[in-house]
Amino acid sequence: MIEVCADSVSSAIAAQEGGADRIELCSGLVIGGLSPSPALFRQVRECVDLEIRVLLRPRFGDFCYDDYEFRMINEEVEMFRELGADGVVIGMLKPDGELDTAKMETLVRTAGNMKLTMHRAFDVCRDPYKAMEQCISMGIGTILTSGQRSSAWEGRELLGGLAERADGRVEILAGAGINPEVIRKLKACTALRAFHLSGKKTVDSRMRYRKEGVPMGVPGFNEFEIWQTDSETIREAVLSAEE
């Protein structure tokens, strides 16, 4: 199973062209992904036929949300359910690193019959095996994780252990640093069969006039480079998963 994280209509279309099974829709992928707008969701829903799960993350940074942020996320769950999303991607932690199961159970109830993914808040929780069992108990069907390391390949030992202990009760979706070669390597040493990637390439801006020295966001990023999913990379990932 190949899931593509996409933060634009063009990337979602490229994911479908490459043969992806599912899209995780977000905005601001350069900072790890934030909640997308309703307008972006509607455009993507019109242009692709794939399953769409929507990432719900109100801001950059940790996953310990205050009551205002929690209410925002809960409203977004309801909004995207009404807009026709197939699923939502959620996660909340308490200050001690445990899952905030009380708040997450509220989100699960709001989601109704939508499919549920636990996002990479899982990768900074205190006890991944305990958290996995809590996710299963809440009815969450997928856990997106790098194995609590900076890349899935580095986290392969934990990923393999999670997949083995899950025993089909929850989908362990390997993410972070995933490409066709890493998919082949992870398949060879683990029971993993679900992979999450952006498959991005850099596209040059269409701007001919370029005002330099005026950064609009994170310092050091080129304002005239656009990151988009590459359909050929996704196609190669699909082939690697099928081998």
Side-chain angles (χ1 to χ4, degrees), residues 176-207:
I178 297 294
N179 59 40
E181 178 59 26
V182 169
I183 290 173
R184 285 191 287 269
K185 290 163 62 176
L186 286 172
K187 283 181 59 185
C189 67
T190 70
L192 294 166
R193 292 298 180 269
F195 305 95
H196 169 100
L197 73 161
S198 64
K200 60 181 175 292
K201 63 179 179 180
T202 301
V203 178
D204 193 43
S205 168
R206 293 184 292 115
M207 288 294 297

Side-chain angles (χ1 to χ4, degrees), residues 139-194:
I140 292 172
T142 298
I143 297 172
L144 170 61
T145 174
S146 65
Q148 296 202 325
R149 299 293 294 273
S150 61
S151 73
W153 179 244
E154 291 178 6
R156 61 190 179 278
E157 183 175 349
L158 177 56
L159 284 170
L162 289 166
E164 181 177 355
R165 191 173 298 186
D167 193 27
R169 294 177 297 150
V170 65
E171 177 183 68
I172 302 299
L173 177 63
I178 297 294
N179 59 40
E181 178 59 26
V182 169
I183 290 173
R184 285 191 287 269
K185 290 163 62 176
L186 286 172
K187 283 181 59 185
C189 67
T190 70
L192 294 166
R193 292 298 180 269

